[in-house]
Amino acid sequence: MNAENVKQKKVAVTVTDDSAARDKRATERKPGSRAPGFIRKSSLLRLGWQVGIFVVGLAVVGSGVAMLVLPGPGWLVIFGGMAIWATEFAWAQIVLRWTRRKVTEAAQRALDPKVRRRNIILTTTGLAIIAALTGIYLWKFGIVVPGDIQW
């Protein structure tokens, strides 16, 4: 019975290692086009495909940039446009991988207890300063309503 448990553990470890390696290969593909085979065979179709991908990605990235100043999820849409470009252009795949790596590192740093504690202390201090300055302003000047509005 003990030998059987050892075999099961070895099988479980082997399956886990294989799936981890497969996941790493899936996320770290070689940069290049993911266009269908019949499009890659024809240079005219390939050029049209690349132009189409570029125009659609540009529209999405442009709308994301507009959403940085307008209401909407600007950065999320920009990264979506980069993902569209990454289906065809190697430079976009490299930029997207770099961005994904940096976001993951930042998320890991943010989860560090020391960093969280520091951020909470800084936020609380900043809010206390803003509240004190607002209180001083209201004590000195009161609420001044612009125009002829009567309270």
Side-chain angles (χ1 to χ4, degrees):
M1 187 155 137
N2 194 13
E4 191 174 308
N5 288 340
V6 171
K7 282 183 183 178
Q8 287 176 350
K9 286 182 182 178
K10 285 183 181 177
V11 170
V13 169
T14 305
V15 170
T16 305
D17 291 342
D18 290 343
S19 62
R22 196 170 37 248
D23 290 342
K24 182 159 179 72
R25 283 193 306 266
T27 57
E28 296 295 326
R29 292 183 184 152
K30 291 173 64 175
S33 175
R34 290 190 178 87
F38 72 94
I39 290 178
R40 281 186 258 145
K41 290 179 183 174
S42 170
S43 61
L44 186 60
L45 280 177
R46 183 169 170 81
L47 180 63
W49 179 267
Q50 285 181 337
V51 168
I53 292 291
F54 183 78
V55 169
V56 170
L58 186 64
V60 173
V61 168
S63 64
V65 169
M67 286 183 201
L68 290 176
V69 294
L70 300 173
W75 284 110
L76 186 66
V77 175
I78 290 172
F79 292 135
M82 288 298 295
I84 292 171
W85 277 339
T87 62
E88 188 59 31
F89 302 108
W91 60 268
Q93 291 172 4
I94 292 167
V95 168
L96 206 57
R97 281 184 195 158
W98 179 83
T99 304
R100 185 177 296 139
R101 192 171 43 250
K102 291 298 180 183
V103 166
T104 304
E105 289 172 6
Q108 290 301 320
R109 277 194 311 266
L111 293 176
D112 181 26
K114 288 181 182 178
V115 174
R116 289 180 65 203
R117 197 174 310 120
R118 183 196 67 204
N119 289 344
I120 289 171
I121 290 170
L122 288 175
T123 302
T124 305
T125 305
L127 289 174
I129 291 171
I130 289 172
L133 291 175
T134 303
I136 291 170
Y137 177 83
L138 290 176
W139 175 68
K140 185 164 181 149
F141 298 107
I143 297 177
V144 179
V145 180
D148 291 334
I149 300 174
Q150 299 295 323
W151 285 96

Short mmCIF file of all heavy atoms in Angstrom, two decimals, residues 14-77:
data_model
loop_
_atom_site.label_atom_id
_atom_site.label_comp_id
_atom_site.label_asym_id
_atom_site.label_seq_id
_atom_site.Cartn_x
_atom_site.Cartn_y
_atom_site.Cartn_z
N THR A 14 4.73 14.27 -12.05
CA THR A 14 5.04 14.27 -13.48
C THR A 14 3.97 15.02 -14.27
O THR A 14 4.28 15.83 -15.12
CB THR A 14 5.16 12.82 -14.00
OG1 THR A 14 6.13 12.15 -13.21
CG2 THR A 14 5.57 12.80 -15.45
N VAL A 15 2.71 14.78 -13.95
CA VAL A 15 1.62 15.46 -14.64
C VAL A 15 1.69 16.95 -14.37
O VAL A 15 1.55 17.77 -15.28
CB VAL A 15 0.26 14.88 -14.20
CG1 VAL A 15 -0.88 15.73 -14.70
CG2 VAL A 15 0.11 13.46 -14.70
N THR A 16 1.95 17.36 -13.14
CA THR A 16 2.04 18.77 -12.81
C THR A 16 3.20 19.43 -13.55
O THR A 16 3.06 20.52 -14.08
CB THR A 16 2.22 18.94 -11.29
OG1 THR A 16 1.16 18.26 -10.63
CG2 THR A 16 2.19 20.39 -10.90
N ASP A 17 4.36 18.78 -13.59
CA ASP A 17 5.50 19.34 -14.29
C ASP A 17 5.22 19.48 -15.78
O ASP A 17 5.57 20.49 -16.40
CB ASP A 17 6.75 18.48 -14.08
CG ASP A 17 7.26 18.54 -12.64
OD1 ASP A 17 6.85 19.49 -11.94
OD2 ASP A 17 8.02 17.65 -12.25
N ASP A 18 4.58 18.48 -16.38
CA ASP A 18 4.27 18.54 -17.81
C ASP A 18 3.28 19.66 -18.11
O ASP A 18 3.44 20.41 -19.07
CB ASP A 18 3.70 17.20 -18.30
CG ASP A 18 4.74 16.10 -18.33
OD1 ASP A 18 5.95 16.44 -18.30
OD2 ASP A 18 4.36 14.92 -18.40
N SER A 19 2.26 19.81 -17.27
CA SER A 19 1.26 20.85 -17.52
C SER A 19 1.87 22.23 -17.32
O SER A 19 1.55 23.16 -18.04
CB SER A 19 0.04 20.66 -16.63
OG SER A 19 0.40 20.78 -15.27
N ALA A 20 2.77 22.37 -16.35
CA ALA A 20 3.42 23.66 -16.14
C ALA A 20 4.30 24.02 -17.33
O ALA A 20 4.33 25.17 -17.78
CB ALA A 20 4.25 23.64 -14.86
N ALA A 21 5.02 23.02 -17.86
CA ALA A 21 5.87 23.27 -19.02
C ALA A 21 5.01 23.63 -20.23
O ALA A 21 5.35 24.52 -21.01
CB ALA A 21 6.72 22.04 -19.33
N ARG A 22 3.87 22.96 -20.39
CA ARG A 22 2.99 23.24 -21.51
C ARG A 22 2.40 24.65 -21.39
O ARG A 22 2.30 25.38 -22.38
CB ARG A 22 1.88 22.19 -21.56
CG ARG A 22 1.15 22.14 -22.84
CD ARG A 22 0.20 20.95 -22.99
NE ARG A 22 -0.49 20.56 -21.77
CZ ARG A 22 -0.28 19.44 -21.11
NH1 ARG A 22 0.62 18.57 -21.53
NH2 ARG A 22 -0.97 19.15 -20.02
N ASP A 23 2.02 25.06 -20.18
CA ASP A 23 1.50 26.41 -19.97
C ASP A 23 2.55 27.46 -20.28
O ASP A 23 2.25 28.48 -20.88
CB ASP A 23 1.01 26.59 -18.53
CG ASP A 23 -0.25 25.80 -18.25
OD1 ASP A 23 -0.92 25.40 -19.23
OD2 ASP A 23 -0.56 25.58 -17.06
N LYS A 24 3.80 27.22 -19.89
CA LYS A 24 4.87 28.17 -20.16
C LYS A 24 5.11 28.29 -21.66
O LYS A 24 5.29 29.38 -22.18
CB LYS A 24 6.15 27.75 -19.44
CG LYS A 24 7.28 28.75 -19.64
CD LYS A 24 8.31 28.60 -18.57
CE LYS A 24 9.44 29.56 -18.75
NZ LYS A 24 9.11 30.91 -18.46
N ARG A 25 5.09 27.15 -22.37
CA ARG A 25 5.26 27.19 -23.82
C ARG A 25 4.12 27.94 -24.48
O ARG A 25 4.32 28.67 -25.45
CB ARG A 25 5.36 25.78 -24.39
CG ARG A 25 6.68 25.11 -24.18
CD ARG A 25 6.80 23.87 -25.03
NE ARG A 25 5.70 22.93 -24.85
CZ ARG A 25 5.72 21.90 -24.00
NH1 ARG A 25 6.77 21.69 -23.24
NH2 ARG A 25 4.68 21.10 -23.90
N ALA A 26 2.91 27.78 -23.97
CA ALA A 26 1.75 28.44 -24.58
C ALA A 26 1.84 29.95 -24.40
O ALA A 26 1.45 30.71 -25.29
CB ALA A 26 0.46 27.93 -23.96
N THR A 27 2.35 30.42 -23.25
CA THR A 27 2.43 31.86 -23.03
C THR A 27 3.67 32.47 -23.66
O THR A 27 3.69 33.64 -23.94
CB THR A 27 2.41 32.18 -21.53
OG1 THR A 27 3.50 31.50 -20.90
CG2 THR A 27 1.10 31.76 -20.90
N GLU A 28 4.71 31.68 -23.88
CA GLU A 28 5.96 32.20 -24.44
C GLU A 28 6.17 31.70 -25.87
O GLU A 28 7.19 31.13 -26.19
CB GLU A 28 7.15 31.78 -23.55
CG GLU A 28 7.12 32.36 -22.17
CD GLU A 28 7.25 33.87 -22.15
OE1 GLU A 28 7.96 34.42 -23.02
OE2 GLU A 28 6.64 34.50 -21.29
N ARG A 29 5.19 31.91 -26.73
CA ARG A 29 5.33 31.52 -28.13
C ARG A 29 6.32 32.43 -28.83
O ARG A 29 6.57 33.55 -28.42
CB ARG A 29 3.99 31.63 -28.84
CG ARG A 29 2.99 30.62 -28.37
CD ARG A 29 1.73 30.74 -29.17
NE ARG A 29 0.74 29.83 -28.64
CZ ARG A 29 -0.55 30.04 -28.72
NH1 ARG A 29 -1.02 31.11 -29.31
NH2 ARG A 29 -1.39 29.16 -28.23
N LYS A 30 6.84 31.93 -29.93
CA LYS A 30 7.74 32.76 -30.73
C LYS A 30 6.93 33.89 -31.36
O LYS A 30 5.81 33.68 -31.80
CB LYS A 30 8.40 31.91 -31.81
CG LYS A 30 9.39 30.90 -31.26
CD LYS A 30 9.90 29.98 -32.32
CE LYS A 30 10.67 30.74 -33.38
NZ LYS A 30 11.29 29.84 -34.36
N PRO A 31 7.50 35.09 -31.40
CA PRO A 31 6.78 36.20 -32.03
C PRO A 31 6.55 35.92 -33.51
O PRO A 31 7.41 35.38 -34.20
CB PRO A 31 7.71 37.39 -31.84
CG PRO A 31 8.63 37.01 -30.74
CD PRO A 31 8.75 35.52 -30.80
N GLY A 32 5.40 36.29 -33.98
CA GLY A 32 5.09 36.11 -35.39
C GLY A 32 3.60 36.12 -35.63
O GLY A 32 2.80 36.24 -34.73
N SER A 33 3.24 35.98 -36.90
CA SER A 33 1.84 36.06 -37.32
C SER A 33 1.05 34.84 -36.86
O SER A 33 1.55 33.72 -36.84
CB SER A 33 1.78 36.16 -38.84
OG SER A 33 0.45 36.13 -39.27
N ARG A 34 -0.20 35.09 -36.52
CA ARG A 34 -1.12 34.00 -36.19
C ARG A 34 -2.23 33.94 -37.23
O ARG A 34 -3.32 33.45 -36.96
CB ARG A 34 -1.70 34.19 -34.80
CG ARG A 34 -0.67 33.99 -33.72
CD ARG A 34 -1.29 33.94 -32.34
NE ARG A 34 -0.30 33.71 -31.33
CZ ARG A 34 0.40 34.65 -30.74
NH1 ARG A 34 0.26 35.90 -31.08
NH2 ARG A 34 1.29 34.34 -29.81
N ALA A 35 -1.94 34.46 -38.41
CA ALA A 35 -2.92 34.46 -39.50
C ALA A 35 -3.14 33.03 -39.98
O ALA A 35 -2.24 32.19 -39.89
CB ALA A 35 -2.43 35.33 -40.65
N PRO A 36 -4.34 32.74 -40.51
CA PRO A 36 -4.58 31.41 -41.06
C PRO A 36 -3.60 31.08 -42.19
O PRO A 36 -3.06 31.97 -42.85
CB PRO A 36 -6.02 31.50 -41.59
CG PRO A 36 -6.63 32.64 -40.85
CD PRO A 36 -5.53 33.58 -40.53
N GLY A 37 -3.40 29.79 -42.42
CA GLY A 37 -2.41 29.34 -43.40
C GLY A 37 -2.65 29.85 -44.81
O GLY A 37 -1.72 30.24 -45.51
N PHE A 38 -3.93 29.88 -45.26
CA PHE A 38 -4.19 30.32 -46.63
C PHE A 38 -3.88 31.80 -46.81
O PHE A 38 -3.55 32.24 -47.91
CB PHE A 38 -5.64 30.01 -47.04
CG PHE A 38 -6.68 30.88 -46.38
CD1 PHE A 38 -7.13 32.03 -47.01
CD2 PHE A 38 -7.21 30.54 -45.15
CE1 PHE A 38 -8.09 32.82 -46.41
CE2 PHE A 38 -8.17 31.32 -44.55
CZ PHE A 38 -8.62 32.47 -45.17
N ILE A 39 -3.93 32.58 -45.75
CA ILE A 39 -3.58 34.00 -45.85
C ILE A 39 -2.07 34.16 -45.90
O ILE A 39 -1.55 34.99 -46.66
CB ILE A 39 -4.19 34.79 -44.67
CG1 ILE A 39 -5.70 34.85 -44.83
CG2 ILE A 39 -3.59 36.18 -44.56
CD1 ILE A 39 -6.43 35.54 -43.72
N ARG A 40 -1.34 33.34 -45.16
CA ARG A 40 0.12 33.43 -45.17
C ARG A 40 0.72 33.01 -46.50
O ARG A 40 1.81 33.43 -46.83
CB ARG A 40 0.70 32.59 -44.04
CG ARG A 40 0.62 33.30 -42.70
CD ARG A 40 1.32 32.53 -41.62
NE ARG A 40 0.27 31.85 -40.84
CZ ARG A 40 0.40 30.67 -40.29
NH1 ARG A 40 1.52 30.01 -40.39
NH2 ARG A 40 -0.59 30.14 -39.62
N LYS A 41 0.02 32.19 -47.26
CA LYS A 41 0.55 31.71 -48.54
C LYS A 41 0.54 32.79 -49.60
O LYS A 41 1.42 32.82 -50.46
CB LYS A 41 -0.27 30.51 -49.02
CG LYS A 41 -0.05 29.27 -48.19
CD LYS A 41 -0.90 28.13 -48.69
CE LYS A 41 -0.72 26.91 -47.80
NZ LYS A 41 -1.63 25.83 -48.17
N SER A 42 -0.43 33.68 -49.58
CA SER A 42 -0.54 34.72 -50.61
C SER A 42 -0.02 36.04 -50.06
O SER A 42 -0.48 36.52 -49.03
CB SER A 42 -2.01 34.86 -51.03
OG SER A 42 -2.18 35.99 -51.85
N SER A 43 0.91 36.65 -50.79
CA SER A 43 1.48 37.92 -50.31
C SER A 43 0.44 39.04 -50.33
O SER A 43 0.45 39.91 -49.45
CB SER A 43 2.71 38.30 -51.13
OG SER A 43 2.35 38.50 -52.48
N LEU A 44 -0.46 39.03 -51.30
CA LEU A 44 -1.48 40.07 -51.38
C LEU A 44 -2.48 39.93 -50.22
O LEU A 44 -2.84 40.92 -49.57
CB LEU A 44 -2.22 40.01 -52.72
CG LEU A 44 -3.21 41.14 -52.99
CD1 LEU A 44 -2.49 42.48 -52.97
CD2 LEU A 44 -3.90 40.92 -54.31
N LEU A 45 -2.92 38.69 -49.95
CA LEU A 45 -3.82 38.47 -48.82
C LEU A 45 -3.14 38.81 -47.49
O LEU A 45 -3.76 39.37 -46.60
CB LEU A 45 -4.30 37.01 -48.79
CG LEU A 45 -5.43 36.63 -49.73
CD1 LEU A 45 -5.72 35.15 -49.63
CD2 LEU A 45 -6.67 37.45 -49.46
N ARG A 46 -1.86 38.46 -47.39
CA ARG A 46 -1.12 38.74 -46.16
C ARG A 46 -1.02 40.24 -45.91
O ARG A 46 -1.21 40.71 -44.80
CB ARG A 46 0.26 38.11 -46.23
CG ARG A 46 1.07 38.31 -44.96
CD ARG A 46 2.32 37.46 -44.98
NE ARG A 46 3.22 37.78 -43.92
CZ ARG A 46 3.09 37.35 -42.67
NH1 ARG A 46 2.09 36.58 -42.36
NH2 ARG A 46 3.97 37.69 -41.75
N LEU A 47 -0.74 40.99 -46.97
CA LEU A 47 -0.65 42.45 -46.83
C LEU A 47 -2.00 43.03 -46.44
O LEU A 47 -2.09 43.88 -45.54
CB LEU A 47 -0.15 43.08 -48.13
CG LEU A 47 -0.02 44.60 -48.12
CD1 LEU A 47 1.03 45.02 -47.09
CD2 LEU A 47 0.33 45.10 -49.49
N GLY A 48 -3.06 42.56 -47.06
CA GLY A 48 -4.41 43.03 -46.71
C GLY A 48 -4.77 42.68 -45.28
O GLY A 48 -5.37 43.48 -44.56
N TRP A 49 -4.39 41.47 -44.87
CA TRP A 49 -4.63 41.03 -43.49
C TRP A 49 -3.90 41.93 -42.51
O TRP A 49 -4.46 42.36 -41.51
CB TRP A 49 -4.19 39.57 -43.35
CG TRP A 49 -4.35 39.00 -41.98
CD1 TRP A 49 -3.41 38.96 -41.00
CD2 TRP A 49 -5.51 38.38 -41.44
NE1 TRP A 49 -3.90 38.34 -39.89
CE2 TRP A 49 -5.20 37.97 -40.13
CE3 TRP A 49 -6.77 38.11 -41.95
CZ2 TRP A 49 -6.11 37.33 -39.32
CZ3 TRP A 49 -7.68 37.46 -41.12
CH2 TRP A 49 -7.35 37.08 -39.84
N GLN A 50 -2.63 42.22 -42.79
CA GLN A 50 -1.84 43.06 -41.89
C GLN A 50 -2.40 44.47 -41.82
O GLN A 50 -2.46 45.07 -40.74
CB GLN A 50 -0.39 43.09 -42.33
CG GLN A 50 0.37 41.83 -42.01
CD GLN A 50 1.82 41.89 -42.43
OE1 GLN A 50 2.19 42.67 -43.31
NE2 GLN A 50 2.65 41.08 -41.80
N VAL A 51 -2.81 45.01 -42.96
CA VAL A 51 -3.40 46.35 -42.97
C VAL A 51 -4.69 46.36 -42.15
O VAL A 51 -4.94 47.26 -41.35
CB VAL A 51 -3.65 46.84 -44.41
CG1 VAL A 51 -4.51 48.09 -44.43
CG2 VAL A 51 -2.32 47.11 -45.10
N GLY A 52 -5.52 45.33 -42.33
CA GLY A 52 -6.77 45.24 -41.58
C GLY A 52 -6.54 45.14 -40.08
O GLY A 52 -7.19 45.84 -39.29
N ILE A 53 -5.60 44.29 -39.68
CA ILE A 53 -5.28 44.15 -38.26
C ILE A 53 -4.74 45.47 -37.71
O ILE A 53 -5.09 45.89 -36.61
CB ILE A 53 -4.26 43.01 -38.03
CG1 ILE A 53 -4.88 41.66 -38.34
CG2 ILE A 53 -3.68 43.04 -36.62
CD1 ILE A 53 -5.95 41.21 -37.38
N PHE A 54 -3.88 46.14 -38.50
CA PHE A 54 -3.33 47.40 -38.03
C PHE A 54 -4.41 48.45 -37.86
O PHE A 54 -4.44 49.17 -36.85
CB PHE A 54 -2.25 47.91 -38.99
CG PHE A 54 -1.59 49.17 -38.52
CD1 PHE A 54 -0.63 49.12 -37.52
CD2 PHE A 54 -1.96 50.40 -39.03
CE1 PHE A 54 -0.04 50.29 -37.05
CE2 PHE A 54 -1.37 51.57 -38.57
CZ PHE A 54 -0.41 51.51 -37.58
N VAL A 55 -5.34 48.55 -38.81
CA VAL A 55 -6.39 49.56 -38.74
C VAL A 55 -7.33 49.29 -37.56
O VAL A 55 -7.68 50.21 -36.81
CB VAL A 55 -7.17 49.62 -40.08
CG1 VAL A 55 -8.43 50.45 -39.96
CG2 VAL A 55 -6.28 50.18 -41.18
N VAL A 56 -7.72 48.03 -37.38
CA VAL A 56 -8.61 47.70 -36.26
C VAL A 56 -7.90 47.96 -34.93
O VAL A 56 -8.47 48.57 -34.01
CB VAL A 56 -9.09 46.23 -36.36
CG1 VAL A 56 -9.80 45.80 -35.10
CG2 VAL A 56 -9.99 46.05 -37.56
N GLY A 57 -6.65 47.54 -34.81
CA GLY A 57 -5.89 47.79 -33.59
C GLY A 57 -5.70 49.27 -33.33
O GLY A 57 -5.80 49.73 -32.18
N LEU A 58 -5.45 50.03 -34.38
CA LEU A 58 -5.29 51.47 -34.24
C LEU A 58 -6.58 52.13 -33.77
O LEU A 58 -6.55 53.03 -32.91
CB LEU A 58 -4.83 52.09 -35.57
CG LEU A 58 -4.48 53.57 -35.56
CD1 LEU A 58 -3.28 53.81 -34.65
CD2 LEU A 58 -4.19 54.04 -36.97
N ALA A 59 -7.71 51.68 -34.29
CA ALA A 59 -9.00 52.23 -33.85
C ALA A 59 -9.24 51.93 -32.37
O ALA A 59 -9.69 52.80 -31.62
CB ALA A 59 -10.13 51.65 -34.70
N VAL A 60 -8.92 50.72 -31.95
CA VAL A 60 -9.12 50.35 -30.55
C VAL A 60 -8.16 51.12 -29.65
O VAL A 60 -8.57 51.66 -28.61
CB VAL A 60 -8.98 48.82 -30.36
CG1 VAL A 60 -9.01 48.45 -28.90
CG2 VAL A 60 -10.07 48.09 -31.12
N VAL A 61 -6.89 51.21 -30.03
CA VAL A 61 -5.92 51.96 -29.22
C VAL A 61 -6.30 53.44 -29.19
O VAL A 61 -6.23 54.09 -28.15
CB VAL A 61 -4.48 51.76 -29.75
CG1 VAL A 61 -3.51 52.74 -29.11
CG2 VAL A 61 -4.02 50.34 -29.49
N GLY A 62 -6.73 53.99 -30.32
CA GLY A 62 -7.15 55.39 -30.37
C GLY A 62 -8.34 55.67 -29.47
O GLY A 62 -8.38 56.68 -28.76
N SER A 63 -9.31 54.76 -29.46
CA SER A 63 -10.45 54.95 -28.57
C SER A 63 -10.02 54.81 -27.11
O SER A 63 -10.54 55.50 -26.23
CB SER A 63 -11.58 53.98 -28.90
OG SER A 63 -11.16 52.66 -28.69
N GLY A 64 -9.04 53.95 -26.83
CA GLY A 64 -8.51 53.83 -25.47
C GLY A 64 -7.81 55.10 -25.02
O GLY A 64 -7.96 55.54 -23.88
N VAL A 65 -7.05 55.70 -25.93
CA VAL A 65 -6.37 56.97 -25.60
C VAL A 65 -7.42 58.05 -25.33
O VAL A 65 -7.27 58.86 -24.40
CB VAL A 65 -5.41 57.38 -26.74
CG1 VAL A 65 -4.90 58.79 -26.55
CG2 VAL A 65 -4.24 56.39 -26.80
N ALA A 66 -8.49 58.06 -26.12
CA ALA A 66 -9.56 59.03 -25.88
C ALA A 66 -10.22 58.79 -24.52
O ALA A 66 -10.61 59.73 -23.83
CB ALA A 66 -10.60 58.94 -26.99
N MET A 67 -10.32 57.51 -24.14
CA MET A 67 -10.94 57.19 -22.85
C MET A 67 -10.06 57.55 -21.66
O MET A 67 -10.53 57.53 -20.52
CB MET A 67 -11.29 55.71 -22.78
CG MET A 67 -12.47 55.33 -23.61
SD MET A 67 -12.81 53.58 -23.38
CE MET A 67 -13.75 53.25 -24.85
N LEU A 68 -8.81 57.88 -21.91
CA LEU A 68 -7.96 58.34 -20.80
C LEU A 68 -8.46 59.68 -20.27
O LEU A 68 -8.32 59.97 -19.08
CB LEU A 68 -6.50 58.44 -21.23
CG LEU A 68 -5.78 57.12 -21.51
CD1 LEU A 68 -4.38 57.39 -22.03
CD2 LEU A 68 -5.74 56.26 -20.27
N VAL A 69 -9.03 60.51 -21.15
CA VAL A 69 -9.55 61.81 -20.71
C VAL A 69 -11.07 61.81 -20.65
O VAL A 69 -11.66 62.66 -20.00
CB VAL A 69 -9.06 62.95 -21.63
CG1 VAL A 69 -7.57 63.13 -21.49
CG2 VAL A 69 -9.43 62.70 -23.07
N LEU A 70 -11.73 60.88 -21.34
CA LEU A 70 -13.17 60.74 -21.28
C LEU A 70 -13.53 59.58 -20.36
O LEU A 70 -12.66 58.79 -20.00
CB LEU A 70 -13.71 60.47 -22.70
CG LEU A 70 -13.43 61.55 -23.75
CD1 LEU A 70 -13.85 61.07 -25.12
CD2 LEU A 70 -14.17 62.82 -23.39
N PRO A 71 -14.79 59.47 -20.00
CA PRO A 71 -15.17 58.33 -19.16
C PRO A 71 -14.99 57.00 -19.89
O PRO A 71 -15.35 56.88 -21.06
CB PRO A 71 -16.66 58.57 -18.86
CG PRO A 71 -16.91 59.99 -19.19
CD PRO A 71 -15.89 60.39 -20.20
N GLY A 72 -14.41 56.05 -19.23
CA GLY A 72 -14.23 54.73 -19.82
C GLY A 72 -12.94 54.08 -19.34
O GLY A 72 -12.07 54.75 -18.78
N PRO A 73 -12.81 52.79 -19.59
CA PRO A 73 -11.62 52.05 -19.15
C PRO A 73 -10.46 52.21 -20.13
O PRO A 73 -10.16 51.30 -20.91
CB PRO A 73 -12.12 50.61 -19.08
CG PRO A 73 -13.16 50.55 -20.15
CD PRO A 73 -13.81 51.90 -20.15
N GLY A 74 -9.82 53.35 -20.14
CA GLY A 74 -8.81 53.69 -21.14
C GLY A 74 -7.67 52.71 -21.26
O GLY A 74 -7.38 52.21 -22.34
N TRP A 75 -7.00 52.39 -20.15
CA TRP A 75 -5.83 51.51 -20.22
C TRP A 75 -6.24 50.11 -20.64
O TRP A 75 -5.51 49.45 -21.39
CB TRP A 75 -5.10 51.47 -18.89
CG TRP A 75 -4.30 52.72 -18.66
CD1 TRP A 75 -4.55 53.70 -17.76
CD2 TRP A 75 -3.13 53.14 -19.39
NE1 TRP A 75 -3.62 54.70 -17.87
CE2 TRP A 75 -2.73 54.37 -18.86
CE3 TRP A 75 -2.41 52.59 -20.43
CZ2 TRP A 75 -1.63 55.06 -19.35
CZ3 TRP A 75 -1.30 53.27 -20.90
CH2 TRP A 75 -0.93 54.49 -20.36
N LEU A 76 -7.38 49.65 -20.18
CA LEU A 76 -7.85 48.32 -20.56
C LEU A 76 -8.08 48.24 -22.06
O LEU A 76 -7.70 47.25 -22.71
CB LEU A 76 -9.13 47.99 -19.79
CG LEU A 76 -9.68 46.60 -19.96
CD1 LEU A 76 -8.70 45.59 -19.37
CD2 LEU A 76 -11.03 46.48 -19.29
N VAL A 77 -8.67 49.26 -22.65
CA VAL A 77 -8.92 49.28 -24.09
C VAL A 77 -7.61 49.40 -24.86
O VAL A 77 -7.44 48.76 -25.91
CB VAL A 77 -9.90 50.42 -24.44
CG1 VAL A 77 -10.09 50.55 -25.94
CG2 VAL A 77 -11.25 50.18 -23.76
#
